[in-house]
Amino acid sequence: MIHLPNDDATCGWYHAITKTPEKPRLTGEQTADYVVLGGGFAGLAMARRLALHAPNARIILIDAQRIGQGASGRNSGFVIDLPHKFSLEHPDPAHKQKLLKLNRSAIDQLSSLVSKYKIDCQWSAAGKYQGAVGERGEAYLDHFEHLMKDLGEPYQHINGDDLSKVLGTNYYSRAIYTPGGYLVQPAALACGLGDNLPDNVEVLENSPINNLSKEHGKWLLHSKHGVVKTPKLLLGTSIFTREFGFLKNRLLPVMTFASWTRPLNDDEMKAYTGLLDWGLTPADHAGTTIRMTADRRILIRNTYKHVDKYGASSTVNENVRKQIQDDHRKVFLARYPQLIDVPFTHSWGGTYAISRNFTNFFGELDDGVYASACDNGVGIAWGTVSGTLLADLVMGEQSESLDDIQHVTGMPSLNPPEPFLGIGVKSRISLAKWLSRSEI
């Protein structure tokens, strides 16, 4: 093991929630019927579904940090029903419809859990705006409209004053609104799900696994203070799946960054003039994502970095974060010059896995080892549905949804060796940023 999860302590979402007491760490020698590694949305769904199938089994969910501290608590809080932009261009209409159905089943599942357990996470059927600033963004928006027509999904054009009344800024020239997506406070949702798992799921936090071995048909997960043995291991470890020898040279670690303000006061809300609780993603994928949260915070997200040294040896230091925050500040003030006195309180990064062929892995990696890996940047819905169905696969439960997810997933393509991979990815990110500079 080279890289262990060790995210920065500056995530605004996580700072904003009320913390529950820490769960125990992995200590001593333990055995379990099933072990789920990774407490993000995929791992949480795996553990829940396993417990429902096998209520008498001992199921252990292990996270290297606390639930909500990792990538699942660091995204922008969009629970997207539509296939991702690249998936929307897939030539097979049935493929896109399967993705749409899978994402919507995840939204239904999460809606039910939020309601059942009264999880306070700003869960909202707010839909999503996709916005354009200028000609380049408008061209992408026209292409998106064409894809939406092919998919047969409803959408609405929002222009001029109607758009500025929502966003509180006239910076954007046009947007397309799609009604099926949800917004959420992601760290609050992850923690709420973790606090309401079935009774036969034991959660172990702050227990990074630094070695995986096999002995007499059982998998042994070794931490600094203990070991757990299991015949069935489910990995919800995203990019860290590589650290256990699986999907090596097939996953790309990318970090994206966000900053947000403190909650606006009443006078600042009057100056802002827009609505609460909306989210906008850029028509040009290298542009800026922006959200106004239900508790009056404005969030800015852009900037992508290839981080070949992620986890504990992350190359993203405080100087890099300061530069990113300065860039976010320029973006913020370009949209909201009337809020010049509103400071940012937090800036943070999160690492996720993408693949060169934009393919998600789902299935068995080795005898008794299963994984859902590589969410390609759409983690909440995909993590939830893929984790649920992976548990079904392990338990031998057949369904149309399981058939669908096996149809739309596959093997991420091989990457070129380093240093060529890093040079190529960094060059491509830099080029995309330059080309999209008018939309950032």
Side-chain angles (χ1 to χ4, degrees):
M1 292 289 292
I2 300 172
H3 305 298
L4 292 171
N6 185 27
D7 288 294
D8 61 54
T10 61
C11 177
W13 294 120
Y14 191 72
H15 271 268
I17 63 175
T18 300
K19 311 299 188 299
T20 57
E22 290 187 23
K23 304 295 193 302
R25 299 187 182 210
L26 172 59
T27 58
E29 295 185 9
Q30 303 195 38
T31 60
D33 299 296
Y34 304 92
V35 170
V36 176
L37 190 56
F41 291 113
L44 290 164
M46 293 172 194
R48 180 178 301 279
R49 190 71 157 198
L50 286 171
L52 294 177
H53 284 313
N56 296 318
R58 187 185 188 202
I59 299 162
I60 295 180
L61 171 62
I62 305 175
D63 197 87
Q65 304 172 116
R66 296 209 63 195
I67 304 296
Q69 276 190 321
S72 287
R74 293 171 173 270
N75 61 67
S76 295
F78 291 86
V79 193
I80 298 173
D81 62 330
L82 295 169
H84 195 278
K85 294 172 187 175
F86 297 106
S87 297
L88 278 173
E89 297 176 342
H90 196 281
D92 180 9
H95 181 99
K96 291 183 281 191
Q97 289 296 334
K98 291 179 192 297
L99 286 172
L100 184 64
K101 186 169 64 172
L102 289 166
N103 288 341
R104 286 181 173 161
S105 72
I107 290 175
D108 289 344
Q109 178 181 340
L110 290 170
S111 292
S112 177
L113 292 170
V114 168
S115 176
K116 178 178 180 179
Y117 296 111
K118 296 179 173 55
I119 300 174
D120 183 11
C121 62
Q122 302 177 27
W123 182 258
S124 171
K128 182 173 75 72
Y129 296 87
Q130 188 163 129
V133 175
E135 290 184 7
R136 179 178 171 86
E138 294 259 7
Y140 276 103
L141 209 57
D142 290 340
H143 180 56
F144 177 68
E145 180 179 12
H146 172 73
L147 295 172
M148 292 298 292
K149 287 180 178 178
D150 285 349
L151 193 61
E153 285 295 306
Y155 64 92
Q156 180 183 355
H157 286 281
I158 312 290
N159 303 300
D161 289 343
D162 290 336
L163 185 58
S164 63
K165 287 177 182 176
V166 174
L167 307 182
T169 177
N170 58 9
Y171 191 81
Y172 291 89
S173 59
R174 181 163 61 95
I176 287 178
Y177 173 77
T178 51
Y182 278 61
L183 297 176
V184 70
Q185 210 280 33
L189 176 60
C191 290
L193 294 171
D195 289 336
N196 290 282
L197 289 166
D199 290 341
N200 60 324
V201 177
E202 300 174 44
V203 178
L204 303 176
E205 294 183 321
N206 295 314
S207 301
I209 300 302
N210 53 38
N211 187 38
L212 177 66
S213 63
K214 194 172 186 181
E215 181 180 286
H216 305 304
K218 301 287 183 69
W219 291 97
L220 279 70
L221 291 83
H222 304 263
S223 75
K224 183 177 181 180
H225 300 290
V227 61
V228 58
K229 183 184 297 186
T230 183
K232 300 288 184 181
L233 172 62
L234 286 74
L235 299 177
T237 44
S238 187
I239 188 62
F240 294 95
T241 307
R242 306 192 326 181
E243 302 306 313
F244 302 102
F246 302 115
L247 302 178
K248 291 185 73 68
N249 303 317
R250 294 184 183 274
L251 305 179
L252 294 169
V254 173
M255 183 173 279
T256 184
F257 298 85
S259 299
W260 76 0
T261 68
R262 58 160 169 75
L264 304 188
N265 61 37
D266 290 346
D267 289 339
E268 290 159 351
M269 285 299 298
K270 291 177 182 177
Y272 159 65
T273 73
L275 301 180
L276 288 177
D277 196 28
W278 54 262
L280 178 145
T281 58
D284 181 349
H285 64 273
T288 294
T289 293
I290 184 168
R291 273 195 63 186
M292 167 55 92
T293 67
D295 59 350
R296 299 184 171 189
R297 302 174 190 268
I298 296 176
L299 179 147
I300 303 291
R301 190 194 76 184
N302 60 39
T303 308
Y304 298 86
K305 290 187 177 294
H306 174 242
V307 283
D308 54 329
K309 295 181 179 179
Y310 48 92
S313 56
S314 174
T315 56
V316 179
N317 56 38
E318 290 306 311
N319 290 334
V320 172
R321 288 193 187 90
K322 178 62 168 61
Q323 180 59 58
I324 290 168
Q325 186 181 90
D326 290 344
D327 291 344
H328 286 170
R329 192 72 187 167
K330 294 174 185 176
V331 168
F332 173 74
L333 292 177
R335 289 156 175 79
Y336 300 106
Q338 72 273 34
L339 301 178
I340 190 171
D341 293 326
V342 179
F344 284 157
T345 58
H346 298 87
S347 295
W348 65 93
T351 305
Y352 62 97
I354 64 174
S355 60
R356 292 175 61 236
N357 59 349
F358 207 75
T359 295
N360 313 91
F361 180 84
F362 174 92
E364 191 169 12
L365 290 166
D366 200 342
D367 184 27
V369 180
Y370 303 80
S372 170
C374 198
D375 61 35
N376 284 298
V378 285
I380 299 180
W382 184 258
T384 298
V385 69
S386 65
T388 298
L389 293 173
L390 190 72
D392 286 353
L393 177 68
V394 172
M395 301 300 295
E397 297 287 335
Q398 297 299 313
S399 68
E400 182 179 334
S401 293
L402 182 57
D403 292 340
D404 286 346
I405 200 168
Q406 290 176 314
H407 177 85
V408 300
T409 55
M411 181 60 72
S413 59
L414 281 169
N415 300 323
E418 294 287 3
F420 305 105
L421 174 64
I423 293 170
V425 174
K426 291 172 184 176
S427 298
R428 186 167 181 175
I429 289 174
S430 297
L431 177 61
K433 182 178 179 180
W434 185 83
L435 291 173
S436 305
R437 62 195 183 280
S438 62
E439 296 293 312
I440 294 175

